[in-house]
Amino acid sequence: MNEYDSDRLVESLAGSHGYRAIDRPEDADVLLLNTCSVREKSEEKLYSQLGRWRPWKHSNPDLLIGVGGCVASQEGEAILKKAPYVDFIFGPQTYHRVSELIDQTVSTRKPRIDISFPEIEKFDCLPPRQVDGPRAFVSIMEGCSKYCSFCVVPYTRGEEYSRPFDSVITEIYELAEQGVREVTLLGQNVNAYQTVNHRGEAIDFATLLRYVNEIEGIGRIRYTTSHPLEFTDELARAHGELPSLAKHLHLPVQSGSDKILARMKRHYTRKDYLQIIENVRSYCPQISISSDFIVGFPGETAHDFRQTMDLIDEVEFDHSFSFLYSKRPGTPAALLQDETSEEEKKERLYELQARINSFAVAVSDAMVNTVQSVLVDGVSRRRDSQVCGRTENNRVVNFDGPETWQGQFVDVRITAAMPNSLRGIAQSHHQSQEIVSN
Ligand code: SAM
């Protein structure tokens, strides 16, 4: 999400001031930091980065420094106290106002702060997308209203708000015209998407997927992240019915213990989660499933952890994200007692990651000798005569082929599974349709 926000910010500043992103920060006129506060250390990282920039500001007073994102949203004015050489502060919902903040800072010579939550307004103010390459993110909703006890997101990004349907669809049409073939619909809990179209008809997430599936040129749809709450039967069914919807589901579970799920305020049980997986698999048996896990949540016993490990064995998750619990100031879980040592928690995390990795290796091995649809997105890093792309379950595949295949779907027979990628041989490639813009 931060990557998406940063890209949009760059596009917005290109339109308003003609700025462009450069590789050498020491040559910049404006330095921007986009921060994330889901786990700790981000504040420390922020101040150490700002410390490195301080001498540049000292030698060039015209240099502008801006801090944005969730740490900015949380810390606000405190940043100016600790780093008075910062010029402006913006939140995840106000990055479309950065060009104004820059102008105000320059004209008043005073630091500015805008960390309000005007939510969806930003999409009306941002310029049309300019993308390079066949894959793009599309934000469909903002914020989070789930208030899981460990998580800082509702306080830094505000409550859930669905972006208007017409604006999402228009953006995807425009992306397809620019050569985008795969979109990832973005939000904290995309399946909470709920809005109406211009005729006043209700549009939920499964319906939105059906419309996106119809957009010419878009051959693959992904979404991240969804939440086990509001995972409807229609959404499960969409995985079996929509040809463009990737046969891959990333559905965060966090823990396999009902006691811990209740303490996390996730509002579902292990059984509920397993039922969703069973239902999705009944519509789409070959779907690959990945998840997020938090290890060492306060009160997690060895028994609770075993239940998480059992769940992993039962579902056979593919590549997943797992994190040590990180205490976030202002969240309810920060007040919970915790007796487990850091060492024990790290051992649990290591065990969990090793198990998930063994399933990921098994999935890659099982792909050898199958034919996979690969969206080519570049030339291989190692050999110029090879191109690379991704399968539906997000494996990188390298294979012989001309550069002109970039942006196209190619059927590839997988010949070998390596630790971080696959090798293959092209079987056929589908010439992508010419999309004519009027
Ligand atoms: N909204 C999705 C959900 O909750 O199902 C996930 C979005 S969340 C911003 C991304 C992931 O960060 C979570 O799934 C969780 O595993 C991790 N995370 C959030 N807060 C955390 C914390 N305090 N400590 C460790 N991991 C955390």
Side-chain angles (χ1 to χ4, degrees):
M1 186 147 279
N2 271 29
E3 245 180 70
Y4 171 87
D5 288 351
S6 297
D7 285 350
R8 305 258 34 211
L9 176 53
V10 170
E11 284 165 14
S12 149
L13 293 179
S16 64
H17 288 74
Y19 285 133
R20 66 188 165 83
I22 57 169
D23 294 329
R24 287 169 45 90
E26 52 273 46
D27 296 337
D29 298 310
V30 181
L31 287 165
L32 299 173
L33 263 181
N34 193 8
T35 59
C36 170
S37 59
V38 166
R39 284 172 293 279
E40 65 197 336
K41 300 246 162 58
S42 35
E43 288 107 83
E44 287 163 40
K45 280 194 202 161
L46 164 69
Y47 291 111
S48 57
Q49 182 64 58
L50 288 175
R52 283 193 286 274
W53 286 351
R54 185 184 187 163
W56 299 353
K57 176 84 177 179
H58 193 71
S59 55
N60 173 14
D62 290 336
L63 174 68
L64 293 174
I65 299 181
V67 178
C70 290
V71 178
S73 168
Q74 244 185 343
E75 296 266 290
E77 220 171 326
I79 295 175
L80 293 181
K81 295 219 170 77
K82 288 190 205 160
Y85 45 93
V86 167
D87 296 288
F88 55 91
I89 293 172
F90 56 99
Q93 308 299 359
T94 49
Y95 60 80
H96 59 291
R97 295 184 185 161
V98 167
S99 52
E100 280 166 50
L101 288 174
I102 289 178
D103 292 343
Q104 288 164 0
T105 310
V106 170
S107 64
T108 63
R109 301 236 149 229
K110 286 207 177 93
R112 315 291 305 185
I113 305 181
D114 186 350
I115 48 173
S116 57
F117 291 157
E119 280 136 359
I120 232 69
E121 173 201 287
K122 74 180 173 205
F123 293 106
D124 297 332
C125 304
L126 289 166
R129 305 284 300 274
Q130 292 301 326
V131 292
D132 188 19
R135 297 191 282 149
F137 290 122
V138 175
S139 180
I140 65 160
M141 60 173 304
E142 289 290 316
C144 183
S145 308
K146 300 289 183 283
Y147 292 93
C148 300
S149 64
F150 54 82
C151 191
V152 79
V153 169
Y155 313 102
T156 57
R157 282 188 173 261
E159 296 261 331
E160 280 166 9
Y161 193 103
S162 297
R163 189 175 163 195
F165 171 74
D166 293 352
S167 142
V168 172
I169 294 293
T170 306
E171 183 169 323
I172 301 176
Y173 264 107
E174 287 170 359
L175 288 170
E177 284 177 350
Q178 290 177 43
V180 168
R181 297 291 166 259
E182 174 186 304
V183 285
T184 301
L185 307 181
L186 267 187
Q188 295 298 330
N189 308 294
V190 287
N191 52 324
Y193 185 83
Q194 195 64 252
T195 185
V196 288
N197 65 11
H198 61 279
R199 288 195 291 271
E201 296 156 348
I203 305 277
D204 64 5
F205 184 57
T207 315
L208 175 70
L209 286 174
R210 285 184 187 273
Y211 278 94
V212 179
N213 182 65
E214 296 302 319
I215 297 179
E216 207 185 333
I218 299 298
R220 191 180 278 167
I221 310 165
R222 300 184 188 279
Y223 58 85
T224 193
T225 313
S226 53
H227 190 291
L229 282 182
E230 295 154 314
F231 203 100
T232 59
D233 182 56
E234 288 75 42
L235 177 53
R237 193 144 46 87
H239 278 279
E241 291 180 1
L242 304 184
S244 297
L245 186 56
K247 291 181 176 40
H248 173 238
L249 169 63
H250 182 78
L251 189 60
V253 63
Q254 317 298 0
S255 169
S257 152
D258 283 343
K259 181 190 95 188
I260 297 298
L261 288 173
R263 284 185 152 218
M264 288 178 165
K265 297 216 177 337
R266 293 290 289 179
H267 302 292
Y268 57 83
T269 62
R270 170 199 181 91
K271 195 168 159 215
D272 296 333
Y273 186 87
L274 286 170
Q275 267 168 358
I276 295 170
I277 302 298
E278 194 183 312
N279 196 28
V280 176
R281 281 184 169 151
S282 74
Y283 291 114
C284 184
Q286 65 277 54
I287 197 161
S288 85
I289 313 275
S290 60
S291 197
D292 288 351
F293 298 88
I294 295 179
V295 171
F297 186 79
E300 182 192 75
T301 61
H303 176 68
D304 295 314
F305 178 65
R306 281 295 127 221
Q307 290 183 308
T308 302
M309 293 301 287
D310 289 349
L311 182 83
I312 292 170
D313 289 344
E314 205 166 330
V315 177
E316 300 188 0
F317 289 101
D318 196 359
H319 276 296
S320 293
F321 299 102
S322 43
F323 315 97
L324 278 183
Y325 167 70
S326 169
K327 196 179 195 172
R328 306 288 46 228
T331 60
L335 305 171
L336 295 175
Q337 289 300 316
D338 189 16
E339 251 100 74
T340 313
S341 69
E342 278 307 299
E343 205 185 328
E344 169 79 36
K345 290 181 189 178
K346 282 185 186 152
E347 275 170 24
R348 287 181 194 169
L349 183 68
Y350 181 77
E351 185 183 340
L352 181 144
Q353 289 180 336
R355 184 75 58 88
I356 289 186
N357 198 34
S358 70
F359 282 119
V361 168
V363 170
S364 294
D365 286 346
M367 290 168 78
V368 174
N369 277 327
T370 63
V371 175
Q372 301 286 327
S373 170
V374 175
L375 176 58
V376 181
D377 56 11
V379 174
S380 283
R381 265 189 279 164
R382 294 231 178 113
R383 280 177 46 197
D384 281 354
S385 59
Q386 289 202 325
V387 288
C388 61
R390 282 180 187 263
T391 61
E392 284 192 57
N393 62 349
N394 247 326
R395 297 291 193 282
V396 173
V397 189
N398 293 297
F399 57 100
D400 285 340
E403 248 181 77
T404 50
W405 281 0
Q406 286 188 62
Q408 294 174 23
F409 288 97
V410 180
D411 286 339
V412 178
R413 178 169 295 280
I414 306 302
T415 53
M418 331 294 284
N420 296 313
S421 62
L422 304 172
R423 281 198 197 137
I425 296 174
Q427 307 289 289
S428 72
H429 90 281
H430 320 293
Q431 190 64 46
S432 60
Q433 297 131 313
E434 273 299 307
I435 311 277
V436 182
S437 156
N438 9 336

